[in-house]
């Protein structure tokens, strides 16, 4: 099957950039979000990013304009997905929300359409049975920020057909992203399981008073050669995102060690999500538009 029409559901920090990758790849792309404000913000962010790319000569002004010409923004799920060959879900990291979205998509999208969830930790087998097409459901995990990071974890569940996986790999190739196939499911996949282990240890060292979070970041950068420290990364990707991911892992495992830490809970309750709110572990002079 040839992929010509893509729908991206959710215009947040991941969704709007995935949509632009799709449009830059020459695919007609519909972006859907329930919030008109979120769609307007997505357009503003993408305009700033693409204008910057033109100034840096990463793309031509013509290529930028052509990509925006292939993007359509809507609050209507049916309008977004009714002609889609491939749907990428990028809504909040909550299982019940994703299942609801997939059920609704199943009713409005063509029978041949493939559904991919961009979840950073939730395996698609927990979502696929919300549809009548489990064989056409898979994980397709882009990394933040998608317009910068050249990696996508494509995960095959027992329910997922080989054809679906091949189509997902092909879409990654069209988007000029390196797809890595995981042959079976595991919560958190590969990258985030490694990342969470680092962040969990860093948080324990901080909460137990062994070192300040700024010094832990500095050690991680200077001694281990990481480009960014674990607390800096939490601020960049969104403290609220990590919090929801840990809640989901705890719901699946029942292991108290998988629960969000005391500090993460305090940050989320205070609305300190990192760069996007202007304050997380660090304080920023303004909200950062990714």
């Amino acid at each position: 099957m040839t992929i010509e029409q893509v729908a991206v559901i959710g215009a947040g920090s991941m969704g709007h950039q995935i949509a632009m990758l799709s449009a830059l790849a020459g695919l007609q792309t519909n972006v859907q979000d329930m919030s008109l404000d979120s769609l307007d913000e997505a357009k503003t962010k993408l305009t700033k990013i693409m204008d910057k790319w033109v100034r840096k000569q990463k793309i031509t002004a013509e290529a930028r304009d052509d990509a925006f010409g292939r993007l359509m923004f809507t609050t209507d799920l049916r309008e977004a997905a009714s002609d889609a060959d491939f749907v990428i879900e990028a809504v909040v990291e909550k299982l019940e929300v994703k299942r609801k979205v997939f059920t609704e998509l199943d009713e409005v999208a063509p029978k041949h359409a493939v559904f991919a969830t961009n979840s950073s930790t939730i395996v698609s087998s927990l979502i696929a049975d919300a549809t009548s097409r489990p064989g056409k459901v898979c994980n397709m995990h882009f990394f933040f920020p998608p317009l910068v990071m050249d990696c996508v974890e494509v995960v095959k569940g027992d329910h997922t057909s080989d054809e679906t996986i091949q189509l997902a790999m092909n879409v990654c190739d069209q988007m000029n992203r390196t797809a890595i196939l995981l042959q079976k499911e595991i919560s958190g996949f590969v990258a985030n399981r490694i990342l969470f282990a680092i962040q969990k240890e860093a948080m324990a060292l901080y909460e137990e008073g062994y070192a300040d979070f700024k010094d832990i970041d500095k050690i991680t950068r200077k001694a281990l050669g990481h480009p960014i420290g674990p607390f800096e990364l939490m601020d960049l990707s969104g403290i609220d995102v990590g919090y929801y991911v840990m809640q989901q892992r705890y719901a699946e495992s029942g292991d108290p060690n998988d629960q969000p830490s005391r500090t993460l809970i305090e940050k989320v309750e205070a609305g300190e999500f990192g760069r996007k709110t202007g304050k997380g572990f660090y304080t920023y002079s303004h909200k950062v538009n990714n």
Side-chain angles (χ1 to χ4, degrees):
M1 186 177 75
T2 301
I3 303 299
E4 297 179 352
Q5 184 85 30
V6 171
V8 177
I9 311 304
S13 58
M14 296 296 292
H16 72 282
Q17 292 203 15
I18 294 171
M20 180 52 77
L21 282 175
S22 177
L24 287 168
L27 300 167
Q28 294 296 321
T29 306
N30 296 337
V31 189
Q32 186 272 342
D33 198 286
M34 294 175 62
S35 167
L36 189 58
D37 287 343
S38 294
L39 292 172
D40 289 340
E41 186 176 4
K43 294 176 193 177
T44 299
K45 288 180 177 180
L46 288 175
T47 298
K48 289 180 179 179
I49 294 170
M50 291 298 103
D51 287 350
K52 185 176 181 180
W53 279 23
V54 171
R55 289 195 301 272
K56 290 188 172 183
Q57 298 184 331
K58 292 180 67 175
I59 61 172
T60 65
E62 182 181 10
R64 173 200 60 196
D65 295 343
D66 286 347
F68 274 109
R70 287 187 286 269
L71 280 176
M72 190 273 287
F73 297 84
T74 180
T75 57
D76 188 329
L77 189 70
R78 181 178 295 275
E79 183 179 23
S82 61
D83 294 322
D85 301 310
F86 202 97
V87 181
I88 302 173
E89 167 271 311
V91 303
V92 66
E93 196 75 352
K94 293 184 177 181
L95 178 59
E96 64 274 16
V97 176
K98 292 182 184 294
R99 286 182 60 86
K100 183 176 184 293
V101 168
F102 271 65
T103 297
E104 294 173 353
L105 281 170
D106 196 47
E107 295 174 356
V108 300
K111 293 301 181 183
H112 71 268
V114 167
F115 295 168
T117 173
N118 180 56
S119 173
S120 59
T121 188
I122 300 171
V123 294
S124 67
S125 60
L126 296 176
I127 305 172
D129 66 344
T131 77
S132 63
R133 62 186 87 190
K136 294 183 178 295
V137 178
C138 68
N139 284 96
M140 193 174 176
H141 175 219
F142 291 79
F143 290 85
F144 182 82
L147 283 167
V148 176
M149 299 296 286
D150 176 27
C151 188
V152 181
E153 291 175 318
V154 177
V155 188
K156 186 180 189 301
D158 289 341
H159 57 282
T160 311
S161 72
D162 291 338
E163 180 187 17
T164 293
I165 289 300
Q166 188 58 59
L167 284 170
M169 300 289 282
N170 291 347
V171 168
C172 291
D173 187 57
Q174 285 180 267
M175 293 183 180
N176 196 30
R177 286 297 175 265
T178 300
I180 309 296
L181 176 61
L182 276 63
Q183 297 285 354
K184 59 182 182 178
E185 294 182 331
I186 185 169
S187 177
F189 319 131
V190 172
N192 277 343
R193 291 185 72 88
I194 295 171
L195 177 61
F196 291 159
I198 294 171
Q199 290 182 343
K200 183 177 179 180
E201 184 63 25
M203 187 67 75
L205 291 167
Y206 167 62
E207 290 187 340
E208 293 169 18
Y210 290 104
D212 183 73
F213 68 86
K214 293 180 181 178
D215 290 328
I216 295 172
D217 277 347
K218 187 179 294 184
I219 290 168
T220 306
R221 294 194 311 270
K222 298 289 187 180
L224 302 180
H226 291 202
I228 188 171
F231 296 95
E232 293 169 316
L233 184 54
M234 282 186 268
D235 272 7
L236 176 64
S237 58
I239 291 170
D240 56 327
V241 175
Y243 170 82
Y244 290 133
V245 166
M246 295 192 74
Q247 280 193 320
Q248 178 60 36
R249 290 194 67 177
Y250 174 59
E252 292 178 28
S253 70
D255 184 348
N257 290 322
D258 288 336
Q259 294 184 88
S261 69
R262 180 186 73 252
T263 301
L264 282 186
I265 293 171
E266 291 172 354
K267 291 287 185 188
V268 169
E269 289 179 347
E272 298 174 357
F273 300 160
R275 291 194 182 198
K276 61 186 174 183
T277 59
K279 182 173 174 58
F281 288 96
Y282 297 84
T283 300
Y284 305 89
S285 58
H286 59 280
K287 295 181 183 180
V288 177
N289 290 326
N290 298 305

